[in-house]
């Protein structure tokens, strides 16, 4: 009995500490969210991928070759760089007369790492605005998207941002290296071309909603729950109230309507797709997705970038928000909780992802 008493006391202390930590994290998340709503300052980071791969290649060659050969090559490269700089300076004077066929084309690479709320949309909209202000005839955009989907309105806005690229007449390629399901595929289908790795997961063109109901538990403990609404269908299903068959039917009707909008959006962007065949909520791997018409080619984003490095200038564009330490800590805690929730949600979707 003494052991049980000590163990119970220890357990109570542990629960108290955990509860205090959760309250602190929730407070930091709230602070971070408020600051994020007020401060939208940030900056664009642009990295030329050509130079990155050239530097890595030089490092490998320097380690493999004889020191004398490396020294000789460095001298030759410096001499060639001077000649190229002079030629570039002379070419800049004739830029006004230079056609799109004569200049090097540019590929702008963007990344979208999706969560349940599609919160990366804020960065994506800034990146697209900057890129569209700099694109010229012949330039293209590559979006590397990774997302298992999430909230309808969040991914709807993300897809609308991508539509801006198409409407501006700039070719858009979407590459999926791991997963673009549900809302992730809603974004991917906006691209003129969709590439996917052989084992990338695509599809899941469906709508899901699930919530627990604690009404019977509250009733068992004689706890009343009051919910006041104005409007017949202001609230169909609740977490704490008693749900009715009429409410369930209305909720299911809303899911079907959302699914119909999803199917229509995909059909508009990929008219050759047999939408009723693929809009069953199923997912397919890259090679299977090609057979179903969900993608245009089985290829990784790295392959496409490598193909363009020789003749194109490839730029990686990223918008970075300026954050205080409170916001960074709050976002880190929020991200951890979101990832935990997403992991639990994905585990419920079966063995695919």
């Amino acid at each position: 009995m003494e052991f049980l008493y000590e163990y119970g006391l220890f357990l109570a202390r542990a629960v108290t500490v955990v509860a205090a930590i959760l309250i602190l994290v929730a407070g930091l998340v709230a602070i971070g969210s408020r600051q994020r709503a007020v401060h939208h300052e940030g900056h664009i980071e642009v990295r030329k991928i050509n130079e990155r791969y050239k530097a890595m290649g030089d490092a490998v060659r320097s380690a493999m070759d004889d020191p004398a050969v490396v020294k000789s090559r460095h001298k030759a490269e410096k001499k060639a760089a001077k000649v190229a700089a002079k030629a570039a300076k002379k070419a800049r004077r004739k830029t006004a007369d230079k056609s799109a066929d004569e200049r090097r084309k540019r590929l702008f690479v963007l990344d979208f790492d999706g969560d349940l709320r599609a919160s990366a949309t804020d960065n994506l909209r800034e990146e697209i605005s900057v890129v569209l202000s700099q694109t010229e005839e012949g330039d293209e955009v590559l979006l590397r998207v990774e997302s298992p989907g999430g909230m309808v309105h969040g991914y709807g806005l993300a897809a609308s941002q991508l539509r801006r690229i198409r409407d501006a007449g700039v070719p858009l390629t979407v590459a999926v290296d791991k997963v673009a399901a549900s809302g992730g595929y809603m974004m991917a289908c906006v691209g003129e071309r969709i590439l996917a790795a052989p084992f990338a997961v695509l599809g899941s063109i469906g709508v899901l909603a699930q919530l627990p109901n604690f009404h019977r538990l509250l009733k068992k403990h004689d706890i009343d729950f009051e919910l006041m609404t104005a409007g017949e269908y202001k609230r169909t299903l609740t977490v704490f109230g008693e749900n009715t068959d009429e409410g369930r039917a209305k909720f299911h009707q809303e899911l079907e309507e959302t699914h119909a909008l999803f199917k229509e959006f995909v059909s508009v962007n990929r008219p050759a797709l047999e939408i009723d065949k693929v809009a069953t909520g199923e997912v397919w791997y890259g090679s299977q997705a090609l057979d179903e018409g969900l993608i245009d080619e089985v290829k990784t984003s790295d392959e496409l970038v490598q193909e363009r490095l020789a003749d194109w200038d490839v730029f990686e564009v990223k918008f970075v928000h300026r954050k205080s330490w409170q916001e960074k800590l709050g976002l880190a805690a929020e991200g951890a909780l979101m990832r935990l929730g997403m992991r639990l949600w994905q585990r419920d979707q079966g063995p695919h992802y």
Side-chain angles (χ1 to χ4, degrees), residues 105-109 131 135-142 165 170-173 193 304 308 312:
K105 296 179 181 179
R106 296 173 296 183
L107 177 68
F108 297 94
V109 182
V131 167
T135 53
E136 299 177 15
E137 185 180 353
D139 294 342
E140 295 183 9
V141 175
L142 168 65
I165 301 175
V170 179
L172 170 65
T173 300
R193 294 173 61 214
L304 178 63
R308 300 296 176 86
W312 291 51

Side-chain angles (χ1 to χ4, degrees), residues 73-241:
R73 183 171 63 244
H74 282 172
K75 287 183 178 180
E77 288 176 350
K78 285 183 179 180
K79 186 176 180 180
K82 289 182 179 179
V83 173
K86 289 182 180 179
K89 186 177 181 180
K90 187 181 295 185
R92 279 194 294 271
R93 297 172 184 168
K94 302 178 181 180
T95 300
D97 302 324
K98 201 172 186 180
S99 68
D101 294 331
E102 293 175 324
R103 68 172 179 82
R104 281 172 66 92
K105 296 179 181 179
R106 296 173 296 183
L107 177 68
F108 297 94
V109 182
L110 312 179
D111 288 290
F112 186 92
D113 188 4
D115 57 16
L116 195 61
R117 298 184 304 164
S119 53
T121 305
D122 289 339
N123 289 4
L124 181 66
R125 71 202 307 178
E126 299 287 357
E127 293 161 1
I128 291 175
S129 296
V130 170
V131 167
L132 290 182
S133 69
Q134 300 300 317
T135 53
E136 299 177 15
E137 185 180 353
D139 294 342
E140 295 183 9
V141 175
L142 168 65
L143 174 72
R144 298 183 293 206
V145 61
E146 303 294 344
S147 174
M151 295 181 178
V152 175
H153 58 278
Y155 280 91
L157 178 58
S160 299
Q161 294 297 327
L162 295 181
R163 191 70 231 180
R164 293 169 55 201
I165 301 175
R166 294 288 304 274
D167 292 343
V170 179
L172 170 65
T173 300
V174 178
V176 183
D177 292 325
K178 294 181 181 178
V179 57
S182 194
Y185 188 74
M186 178 188 288
M187 293 180 62
C189 73
V190 179
E192 291 182 65
R193 294 173 61 214
I194 304 178
L195 315 178
F199 288 94
V201 176
L202 299 103
S204 190
I205 303 174
V207 183
L208 168 69
Q210 56 187 357
L211 71 161
N213 183 266
F214 299 97
H215 174 70
R216 286 187 294 176
L217 178 63
L218 297 178
K219 187 176 180 179
K220 180 180 178 181
H221 293 278
D222 297 324
I223 300 174
D224 293 327
F225 175 76
E226 301 290 344
L227 177 65
M228 306 298 178
T229 63
E232 185 179 0
Y233 295 116
K234 178 60 179 177
R235 183 70 68 233
T236 53
L237 296 183
T238 71
V239 176
F240 299 107

Side-chain angles (χ1 to χ4, degrees), residues 276-296:
D276 290 328
K277 181 181 178 182
V278 298
T280 58
E282 299 173 79
V283 295
W284 289 268
Y285 292 109
S287 53
Q288 299 170 329
L290 180 63
D291 296 333
E292 298 295 338
L294 292 167
I295 64 172
D296 300 298

